[in-house]
């Protein structure tokens, strides 16, 4: 929880230098790719500030870089192309100046700098940045006014550049490691006691501490802040509203001086030893999803531009989290069946291999049950494929409702489904499968006011049914499939395991 001073205090007003840095953002980070034959080019990554300056969407530039070359001044276009070709040919640093057209229609000089890398297919990839020369000259003038400030800002710019490169080259699955490194770097640079990241629930009634860095001797709080209800904290709710509506940076210069309305917040901060703190909103796809913050356990004098500096850090976090969320969404789509939203074979098979490994190493048993919807082809033929899709999704829901979180439920293909049951000595797989069959019988399947009679058959195979633990899931699946065949031969609407036919 953080408070920010009004515009007549020191929290919002910052030097002209940082207004330019945060509002105009004189650096655009990018990677630029050129095919081996020079016929294709695009920006695999480019900062969103390219939209602010030039009105170009990063998503479009990821497909083709033509739009960038369309805003180069006609007199400078040939030189840009020649310099890129020379850099690609010789693998030398690309440095060039050219006039680019802003959204206002005005041309201004920009300078680019990037390092090339030859890829295995003969194409070339550059990592670099470009900036507005005029703005940089103004920044340099400000920096010259104070050697101390120059040193501090140079250090901060280097940190941001290093972290930006790390996030640009972020590998799938390494987001947590990168965020922890960012928090550590920022915590040490700003000389605070804690740096952390919180996420909000969709209704902003609770929050959770997802990442935390603490200085030497400072107690960690992350384990106690996994689900914090904040709906009753009126003052903090007001600050969240400010974050959501105006990207407000919340600053508490002295926790003991919070207003009376913030009694609960004051008690929480004092209990955790916090003297002063900042919170900066973190956004994903334009929506505030949490905040990045820093704590000081001692009274201190903060820089007037502290909030602006933290906004830059928050921007890095926002971009990295947005990219990570997109990757997670794409991953989920690749391992889930789009119709039933159950996992598919791509997810199921590695889980079965893990279960086999635990069975071999730790003697942890498991079983699989293969389910097949009886006479499913007749449903499709008589009522249509939409009716068939309805039955599939309803049955998928029944499976989820009648299995445990530790079980793996997957659509195996067509009208076949599989459940992998993690077992202990007290578990009765037959009883669990019987419960599913009974749930199907008792469920009202009605599509477009037409009732549909649905039953399922199942085959069960436990890893202990096999003479030895196999090296792949295929023997277990094959035995479950054979038992399913026997269940259908026995008249359907039943299940078969190693003991025989059961009709619940």
């Amino acid at each position: 929880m953080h408070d920010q001073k009004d515009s007549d205090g020191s929290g919002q007003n910052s030097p002209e230098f940082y207004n330019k840095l945060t509002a105009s953002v004189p650096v655009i980070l990018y990677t630029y790719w050129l095919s081996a034959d020079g016929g294709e080019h695009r920006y695999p990554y480019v900062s969103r500030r390219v939209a602010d300056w030039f009105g170009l969407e990063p998503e479009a530039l990821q497909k083709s870089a033509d739009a960038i070359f369309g805003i180069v001044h006609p007199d400078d276009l040939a030189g840009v192309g020649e310099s890129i070709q020379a850099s690609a040919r010789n693998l030398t640093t690309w440095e060039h100046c050219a006039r680019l057209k802003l959204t206002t229609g005005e041309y201004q000089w920009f300078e680019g700098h990037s390092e090339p890398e030859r890829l295995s297919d003969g194409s070339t990839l550059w990592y670099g940045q470009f900036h507005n020369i005029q703005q940089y000259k103004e920044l340099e003038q400000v920096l010259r006014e104070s050697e101390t400030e120059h040193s501090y800002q140079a250090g901060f710019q280097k940190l941001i550049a290093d972290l930006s490169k790390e996030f640009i080259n972020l590998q799938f699955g390494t987001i947590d490691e990168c965020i922890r490194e960012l928090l550590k770097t920022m915590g040490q640079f700003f000389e605070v006691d804690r740096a952390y990241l919180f996420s909000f629930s969709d209704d902003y009634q609770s929050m959770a501490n997802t990442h935390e860095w603490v200085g030497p001797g400072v107690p960690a709080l992350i384990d106690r802040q996994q689900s914090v209800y904040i709906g009753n904290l009126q003052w903090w709710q007001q600050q969240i509203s400010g974050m959501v509506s105006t990207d407000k940076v919340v600053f508490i210069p002295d926790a003991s001086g919070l207003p009376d309305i913030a009694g609960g917040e004051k008690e929480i901060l004092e209990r955790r030893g916090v003297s002063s703190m900042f919170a900066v909103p973190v956004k994903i796809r334009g929506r505030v999803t949490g905040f990045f913050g820093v704590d000081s356990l001692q009274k201190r004098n903060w820089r007037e531009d502290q909030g602006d500096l933290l906004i830059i850090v928050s921007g890095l976090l926002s971009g990295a989290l947005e990219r990570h969320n997109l990757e997670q969404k794409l991953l989920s789509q690749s391992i889930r069946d789009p119709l039933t939203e159950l996992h598919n074979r791509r997810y199921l098979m590695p889980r079965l291999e893990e279960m086999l490994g635990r069975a071999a190493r730790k003697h942890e048993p498991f079983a699989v049950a293969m389910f097949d919807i009886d006479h499913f082809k007749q449903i499709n033929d008589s009522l249509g494929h939409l009716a068939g899709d309805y039955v599939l999704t309803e049955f998928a829901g029944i499976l989820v409702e009648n299995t445990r979180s530790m079980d793996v439920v997957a659509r195996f293909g067509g009208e076949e489904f599989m459940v992998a049951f993690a077992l202990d000595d007290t578990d009765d797989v037959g009883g669990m499968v019987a419960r599913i069959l009974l749930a199907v019988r008792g469920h009202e399947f009605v599509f477009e006011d037409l009732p549909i009679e649905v039953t399922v058959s199942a085959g069960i195979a436990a890893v202990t049914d096999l003479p030895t633990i196999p090296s792949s899931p295929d023997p277990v699946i094959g035995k479950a499939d054979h038992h399913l065949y026997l269940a259908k031969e026995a008249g359907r609407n039943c299940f078969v395991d190693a003991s025989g036919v059961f009709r619940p």
Side-chain angles (χ1 to χ4, degrees), residues 11-36:
Q12 287 279 38
N13 293 331
S14 57
E16 181 182 2
F17 169 80
Y18 292 113
N19 283 335
K20 290 188 174 69
L21 186 61
T22 57
S24 301
V25 190
V27 174
I28 289 182
L29 300 170
Y30 66 86
T31 58
Y32 172 70
W33 175 86
L34 180 67
S35 64

Side-chain angles (χ1 to χ4, degrees), residues 393-412:
T393 55
E394 289 292 294
F395 178 58
I398 292 172
L399 283 178
V400 172
E401 290 174 3
N402 290 276
T403 51
R404 308 160 299 178
S405 60
M406 68 185 73
D407 302 324
V408 181
V409 183
R411 185 179 180 187
F412 198 70

Side-chain angles (χ1 to χ4, degrees), residues 7 51 98 222 372 374 392 485:
S7 58
I222 187 169
D372 185 277
D374 297 330
L392 291 172
Y485 171 80

Side-chain angles (χ1 to χ4, degrees), residues 30 32-36 38 69 78-96 112-119 122-129:
Y30 66 86
Y32 172 70
W33 175 86
L34 180 67
S35 64
F69 289 81
V80 171
E82 291 170 1
S83 65
I84 292 174
Q85 292 296 333
S87 176
R89 185 169 53 252
N90 304 318
L91 288 183
T92 53
T93 299
W94 179 77
E95 291 181 301
H96 196 75
H113 176 100
S114 57
E115 299 296 332
E117 175 185 347
R118 183 84 74 226
L119 303 184
S123 63
T124 308
L125 185 69
W126 285 265
Y127 299 85
Q129 65 180 40

Side-chain angles (χ1 to χ4, degrees), residues 189-336:
F189 182 82
F190 292 131
E191 298 181 338
V192 295
D193 297 296
R194 289 191 191 96
Y196 44 81
L197 184 65
F198 271 82
S199 64
F200 289 129
S201 61
D202 290 341
D203 59 2
Y204 299 107
Q205 295 298 294
S206 64
M207 63 185 191
N209 191 178
T210 61
H211 302 79
E212 180 187 54
W213 170 86
V214 295
V218 178
L221 301 176
I222 187 169
D223 291 340
R224 289 179 281 164
Q225 299 182 142
Q226 289 306 294
S227 182
V228 182
Y229 178 67
I230 55 175
N232 59 339
L233 300 178
Q234 185 178 352
W235 180 84
W236 182 229
Q237 285 293 323
Q238 292 175 356
Q239 310 315 305
I240 293 174
S241 296
M243 288 186 189
V244 172
S245 61
T246 63
D247 295 334
K248 179 182 181 182
V249 176
V250 185
F251 173 45
I252 299 178
D254 183 359
S256 64
L258 284 171
D260 293 340
I261 191 177
E265 292 87 338
K266 179 180 178 181
E267 180 182 347
I268 292 171
L269 294 177
E270 289 180 345
R271 187 166 62 244
R272 296 172 181 171
V274 177
S275 176
S276 59
M277 60 191 297
F278 274 89
V280 186
V282 170
K283 303 174 75 172
I284 297 178
R285 300 189 68 83
R287 183 180 183 276
V288 173
T289 59
F291 64 93
F292 159 66
V294 294
D295 290 349
S296 175
L297 305 188
Q298 306 294 328
K299 290 185 177 180
R300 61 175 289 173
N301 293 321
W302 296 91
R303 292 172 57 95
E304 290 185 354
D305 55 25
Q306 188 73 49
D308 300 292
L309 298 175
L310 293 174
I311 285 174
I312 299 172
V313 180
S314 178
L316 283 177
L317 280 170
S318 296
L321 289 170
E322 182 166 340
R323 173 181 162 188
H324 175 69
N325 279 12
L326 176 59
E327 290 175 340
Q328 289 294 318
K329 182 178 179 180
L330 293 174
L331 174 63
S332 177
Q333 290 174 348
S334 73
I335 61 175
R336 286 193 181 274

Side-chain angles (χ1 to χ4, degrees), residues 484-496 501-503:
L484 173 61
Y485 171 80
L486 295 178
K488 289 186 171 292
E489 287 290 300
R492 296 181 171 83
N493 194 16
C494 62
F495 71 86
V496 172
V501 179
F502 292 86
R503 198 175 302 277

